[in-house]
């Protein structure tokens, strides 16, 4: 078995959609990035790549490459997973935490789990997504951005 860890941050910006865990969430602003800036998916991609010692999301999908401009991060996750699957890895489970002050994430958690488990061809009980505020401390607490953490356990 192999464990992997991922972490990502994006800052809020006006006139951007907010994508988290593959779901578009209604909010007054979104996250800034070369892609759709889905921090949750990016943290999961890095955890998967880390577990397989296959580098990181930045080396596979550089933010200088126009192919990835505005890309749906679900495509990055699918591509990441295909790299690992080709090496014979299977996913035991994924656990992720989103540090976000606003908006409230709870209503979207099940949709995220359904979407991401479908992309990874695992059961929903193999993927956990949680959210916490930071009690108004730090950049998340000041509503300047959102961070996400993920750990994965692979077989293979
Ligand atoms: Mg990112």
């Amino acid at each position: 078995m192999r464990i992997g860890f991922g972490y990502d941050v994006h800052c809020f910006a006006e006139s951007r959609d907010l994508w988290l865990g593959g779901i578009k969430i209604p909010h007054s602003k979104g996250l800034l990035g070369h892609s759709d800036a889905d921090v949750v998916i990016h943290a999961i991609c890095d955890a998967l790549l880390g577990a397989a010692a296959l580098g990181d999301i930045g080396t596979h999908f550089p933010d200088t490459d126009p192919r990835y401009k505005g890309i749906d991060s679900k495509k990055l996750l699918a591509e990441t997973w295909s790299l690992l699957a080709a090496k014979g890895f299977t996913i035991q489970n994924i656990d992720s935490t989103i540090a976000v002050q606003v908006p409230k994430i709870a209503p979207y958690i099940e949709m995220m789990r359904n979407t991401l488990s479908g992309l990874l061809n695992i059961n929903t009980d193999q993927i956990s997504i949680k959210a916490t505020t930071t009690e108004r401390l730090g950049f998340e607490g000041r509503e300047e951005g959102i961070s996400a953490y993920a750990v994965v356990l692979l077989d293979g």
Side-chain angles (χ1 to χ4, degrees), residues 7-10 35 37-39 42-43 57:
Y7 172 68
D8 194 30
V9 175
H10 283 269
S35 66
D38 188 325
V39 278
H42 294 181
I57 191 170

Side-chain angles (χ1 to χ4, degrees), residues 5-73:
F5 171 73
Y7 172 68
D8 194 30
V9 175
H10 283 269
C11 65
F12 276 121
E14 306 293 330
S15 307
R16 292 276 298 183
D17 291 328
L18 179 59
W19 288 92
L20 290 173
I23 303 297
K24 189 173 167 181
I25 295 177
H27 192 50
S28 57
K29 49 194 173 179
L31 294 175
L32 189 62
H34 186 66
S35 66
D36 64 7
D38 188 325
V39 278
V40 181
I41 288 184
H42 294 181
I44 291 172
C45 285
D46 258 359
L48 287 165
L49 291 168
L54 284 174
D56 62 31
I57 191 170
T59 56
H60 289 279
F61 313 109
D63 64 8
T64 49
D65 189 331
R67 275 184 301 165
Y68 303 120
K69 184 165 172 50
I71 197 170
D72 180 344
S73 290

Side-chain angles (χ1 to χ4, degrees), residues 40 43-44 94-98 128-131 148-151:
V40 181
I44 291 172
I94 296 172
D95 186 22
S96 175
T97 297
I98 312 167
S128 157
I129 297 178
K130 313 178 301 295
Y149 303 80
V151 288

Side-chain angles (χ1 to χ4, degrees), residues 43-122:
I44 291 172
C45 285
D46 258 359
L48 287 165
L49 291 168
L54 284 174
D56 62 31
I57 191 170
T59 56
H60 289 279
F61 313 109
D63 64 8
T64 49
D65 189 331
R67 275 184 301 165
Y68 303 120
K69 184 165 172 50
I71 197 170
D72 180 344
S73 290
K74 292 191 282 296
K75 291 181 183 162
L76 304 183
L77 181 61
E79 268 193 58
T80 298
W81 176 236
S82 70
L83 290 171
L84 272 68
K87 291 195 173 285
F89 290 112
T90 57
I91 295 171
Q92 272 288 336
N93 73 301
I94 296 172
D95 186 22
S96 175
T97 297
I98 312 167
V100 52
Q101 193 69 43
V102 288
K104 286 281 173 227
I105 301 303
Y108 307 101
I109 294 275
E110 290 313 306
M111 273 188 280
M112 292 179 194
R113 293 176 65 215
N114 285 331
T115 297
L116 299 183
S117 62
L119 282 169
L120 295 167
N121 201 23
I122 56 176

